[in-house]
Amino acid sequence: MIVLVGGLPGSGKTYFASRLAKRIKAQCISSDKVRKTLHALGKHSLEDKLAVYKELVIMASSELKLSRIVVIDATFSHRDMRTILVELAKSLSQPLCLLWIYAAEDLIKKRIAGPRENSEADFKVYEKIRDQFQPIDIPHLTIESRDNNIEDMLKQGEDYILNYERT
């Protein structure tokens, strides 16, 4: 199964994705780490971003062929970013679900005010991605990230995945 964890910079998606992956015994693949590996920091064109997503597809494909659940942590803010992984799921006959993480903008501003381990996104990057966001047109669960609600978020995500697998 492929679990996409998407959200704008500072939403809490990476924090959530890493903990969800541990909880459901999945491999977690981070777009921020892939971006670093590909030396794509500072490159924000759609073409540059899609190169990162193509690498996510390669990595996810390898894990799925080993019968592993894959959690992919990325913004998924553009339809093409989601479509490339939907197509992978279809080609491998694997279920795919999307968990969309969001937070209030004042909390996002606070979260991205200082340096973060793997993300280069500051508030200007957040605003650019927010303004270019394309609506999600596949089934998904929206989860609000607040300070100190990670357990509730994980329960929501896990319940959605379990119910999604049964359909």
Side-chain angles (χ1 to χ4, degrees):
M1 173 179 227
I2 302 172
V3 179
L4 306 181
V5 176
L8 299 177
S11 64
K13 71 185 169 303
T14 299
Y15 186 79
F16 172 81
S18 64
R19 281 146 187 84
L20 178 68
K22 287 178 186 168
R23 194 162 170 150
I24 64 171
K25 297 175 177 47
Q27 287 297 118
C28 188
I29 303 172
S30 163
S31 64
D32 288 332
K33 289 180 182 176
V34 169
R35 185 173 292 104
K36 275 186 171 181
T37 302
L38 295 177
H39 305 290
L41 296 176
K43 297 179 180 179
H44 298 288
S45 73
L46 180 58
E47 183 178 290
D48 291 326
K49 290 178 183 181
L50 287 176
V52 171
Y53 282 77
K54 287 175 184 172
E55 185 64 24
L56 293 173
V57 166
I58 292 167
M59 294 172 74
S61 181
S62 296
E63 294 297 332
L64 291 166
K65 288 176 183 173
L66 296 172
S67 300
R68 294 187 176 134
I69 299 171
V70 178
V71 172
I72 302 175
D73 156 35
T75 62
F76 296 108
S77 60
H78 191 280
R79 190 171 290 111
D80 291 347
M81 296 169 180
R82 298 183 293 265
T83 299
I84 194 171
L85 285 142
V86 169
E87 288 173 359
L88 172 66
K90 286 180 183 175
S91 73
L92 297 175
S93 300
Q94 296 291 322
L96 175 140
C97 70
L98 171 61
L99 304 174
W100 184 259
I101 310 301
Y102 77 98
E105 196 164 275
D106 60 330
L107 180 56
I108 287 174
K109 196 177 259 190
K110 183 176 110 180
R111 287 177 176 170
I112 62 179
R116 294 177 297 146
E117 185 177 349
N118 289 304
S119 178
E120 63 176 329
D122 59 14
F123 197 69
K124 286 185 181 192
V125 171
Y126 160 81
E127 289 177 314
K128 182 177 180 180
I129 294 171
R130 178 200 63 201
D131 294 346
Q132 294 174 349
F133 176 80
Q134 293 184 331
I136 300 170
D137 55 2
I138 61 174
H140 64 283
L141 174 68
T142 300
I143 303 172
E144 182 178 7
S145 172
R146 299 182 308 270
D147 283 339
N148 302 315
N149 75 326
I150 188 65
E151 281 305 314
D152 182 52
M153 293 173 66
L154 291 168
K155 174 95 173 83
Q156 288 179 60
E158 191 173 25
D159 288 349
Y160 184 74
I161 291 166
L162 288 172
N163 289 325
Y164 198 89
E165 283 184 318
R166 293 184 194 135
T167 59

